[in-house]
Amino acid sequence: MLFTADHAEPRRILQKFIAAEINPHVDDWEEAGIFPAHELFKKLGDLGFLGLNKPVEYGGQGLDYSYALVMAEELGTINCGAIPMAIGVQTDMATPALARFGSDEVRKEFLAPAIAGDYVACIGVSEPGAGSDVASIKTAARSDGDDYVINGGKMWITNGVQADFICLLTNTGDGPVHRNKSLICVPMKSKGVQVARKLDKMGMRSSDTAQIFFDDVRVPKRNRIGAEGEGFIYQMLQFQEERLWAAAACLKAHETVINETIEYTRSRKAFGRSILDNQVVHFRLAELQTEVELLRALTYRAAEALIAGEDVTKLATMAKLKTGRLGRELTDACLQYWGGMGFMNETPVSRAYRDTRLASIGGGADEVMLNILCKMMGTLPGAKQKGHA
């Protein structure tokens, strides 16, 4: 069984924290287009939530991934998608490779304060000309004695405006594109790092997203995570936790949209009866709830496999694909049943509609997920046949 009685207390603590420290402020943060990351992350760090499955030597709890899954699922009760995403970047996107492959020195310098909530982290992979095509990034770090000198730029960087360091994927050699990249922890206060602008997004309004330039940024080679040239592999592994997190964080958020739609359509009258009394409405909501449960089962299965040390590429990819597709389908259907009010920014279904659209793009677009799955199934034209998965 994935969850035990031991999971109940952290779930309760997080629920209480969200109700008291996050949800009352979400509307203000959405309007401002930013939230106080250092203040919020410090509170989460003090409660131990930024290092549930991270090593105890660096302040983590040393628990298995099931506890991180509980956290991700409960974050779905936050009244927006932006804050859960920003927290997820800290815990499951910018730090897994650091925790797993970083030297003791680099983990003390960057992982420990990230777990404590003293540092805000961001992950630097995407570029204006290389989003889902990670292998084609152009940012480069040339060797200069004991240092790297970095030039290039990154785009769509969540937490980028407020971050203390970026876990940067950069080219460190001229070899094959899957073997010439490294992950490097770069302090954002380093000379030559420029946050060019805070991006204006359709959704995820309360998280800060940045475009960042690197102009002859000098960092010591000791800031590299693991071996030189292994960054692409490390990032692919890091993506698996990111994709599972994305699926888990959407579960309760989707259920909230369904439940709010039920309540609204029950009270809303048209042609002498409630909107909910129309079979097309209550049948559709039942179908959508079923789809959420199917996604939950897939996500839990993938988490169990991850805990068991299995390769979860296929299951995590499927969960990520389904998350994006279901988010679009569910919020579109529910918004329709809200009618004119659904088109108003003041209603929660409108925010959910805008926020969930990112799930089919960020962390690997739907088409990239399908490409991965087809490779594994041996059905991708030109790919080596591996037989059916």
Side-chain angles (χ1 to χ4, degrees):
M1 185 169 62
L2 186 59
F3 300 130
T4 68
D6 292 337
H7 294 83
E9 185 62 7
R11 191 185 293 274
R12 184 195 67 80
I13 293 172
L14 190 54
Q15 288 172 347
K16 183 178 178 181
F17 180 83
I18 290 170
E21 300 288 345
I22 299 180
N23 277 341
H25 308 291
V26 165
D27 289 346
D28 290 338
W29 295 341
E30 285 278 302
E31 185 176 354
I34 196 168
F35 76 103
H38 284 92
E39 177 185 339
L40 184 62
F41 284 13
K42 183 56 181 173
K43 292 177 180 178
L44 284 167
D46 288 345
L47 290 172
F49 281 110
L50 298 183
L52 290 173
N53 59 332
K54 298 297 193 297
V56 294
E57 309 94 276
Y58 307 99
Q61 303 295 309
L63 301 168
D64 67 42
Y65 187 76
S66 65
Y67 289 86
L69 188 71
V70 165
M71 178 180 176
E73 193 168 357
E74 290 306 321
L75 290 177
T77 64
I78 295 174
N79 294 334
C80 69
I83 306 303
M85 178 179 67
I87 297 169
V89 166
Q90 182 92 351
T91 59
D92 286 69
M93 302 178 203
T95 54
L98 174 59
R100 185 173 179 181
F101 300 108
S103 66
D104 183 60
E105 185 176 16
V106 77
R107 286 187 287 185
K108 284 180 179 177
E109 185 174 351
F110 296 101
L111 180 62
I115 289 172
D118 294 324
Y119 277 6
V120 172
C122 63
I123 177 76
V125 177
S126 295
E127 300 178 1
S132 294
D133 185 7
V134 175
S136 69
I137 64 169
K138 302 302 182 185
T139 298
R142 64 176 174 84
S143 177
D144 185 15
D146 292 332
D147 296 338
Y148 287 117
V149 179
I150 304 169
N151 285 279
K154 295 294 178 178
M155 188 69 167
W156 308 297
I157 306 304
T158 299
N159 296 347
V161 174
Q162 301 184 76
D164 295 286
F165 75 93
I166 184 169
C167 179
L168 183 74
L169 185 68
T170 179
N171 296 311
T172 49
D174 298 321
V177 294
H178 299 108
R179 291 288 181 181
N180 73 335
K181 295 170 174 56
S182 300
L183 283 173
I184 303 172
C185 292
V186 180
M188 292 293 286
K189 291 182 179 178
S190 301
K191 183 180 179 181
V193 176
Q194 178 189 1
V195 177
R197 59 186 175 124
K198 176 175 167 289
L199 301 171
D200 186 12
K201 308 186 299 292
M202 177 179 79
M204 300 295 194
R205 299 290 300 177
S206 51
S207 72
D208 55 286
T209 306
Q211 181 176 19
I212 302 171
F213 294 133
F214 303 90
D215 183 13
D216 283 339
V217 178
R218 183 175 292 273
V219 295
K221 288 182 177 178
R222 67 173 183 272
N223 286 18
R224 188 184 66 235
I225 296 172
E228 186 172 273
E230 296 296 305
F232 185 87
I233 294 172
Y234 296 161
Q235 183 54 41
M236 291 304 105
L237 291 172
Q238 204 159 236
F239 271 144
Q240 303 317 313
E241 288 193 32
E242 174 178 344
R243 289 163 183 166
L244 277 184
W245 176 91
C250 285
L251 296 173
K252 288 197 172 184
H254 287 344
E255 288 177 333
T256 296
V257 174
I258 292 173
N259 291 331
E260 288 174 341
T261 302
I262 289 171
E263 291 307 308
Y264 181 78
T265 56
R266 176 177 282 129
S267 62
R268 177 71 172 171
K269 305 293 182 182
F271 304 106
R273 61 176 178 172
S274 73
I275 301 296
L276 186 62
D277 284 347
N278 290 280
Q279 188 182 82
V280 69
V281 177
H282 54 252
F283 272 19
R284 185 68 177 125
L285 293 173
E287 289 174 341
L288 292 171
Q289 183 63 59
T290 301
E291 291 295 320
V292 174
E293 282 303 320
L294 290 170
L295 177 59
R296 177 175 277 114
L298 174 59
T299 303
Y300 285 7
R301 181 186 170 197
E304 288 175 334
L306 181 68
I307 293 166
E310 300 173 17
D311 181 0
V312 298
T313 301
K314 182 175 76 171
L315 293 177
T317 301
M318 288 177 169
K320 168 63 169 62
L321 174 66
K322 184 62 177 177
T323 297
R325 294 284 178 86
L326 179 57
R328 293 156 68 183
E329 178 185 8
L330 186 150
T331 56
D332 183 74
C334 289
L335 188 149
Q336 183 71 20
Y337 300 147
W338 283 69
M341 286 305 299
F343 202 64
M344 301 297 104
N345 281 334
E346 66 191 75
T347 53
V349 71
S350 173
R351 182 181 293 168
Y353 180 86
R354 291 181 284 107
D355 286 354
T356 57
R357 189 59 183 84
L358 181 62
S360 281
I361 301 171
D366 285 0
E367 293 75 18
V368 173
M369 300 300 99
L370 290 166
N371 199 64
I372 293 170
L373 292 172
C374 288
K375 281 183 180 178
M376 299 186 78
M377 295 171 66
T379 60
L380 190 70
K384 183 178 179 180
Q385 299 297 306
K386 296 183 179 180
H388 292 289

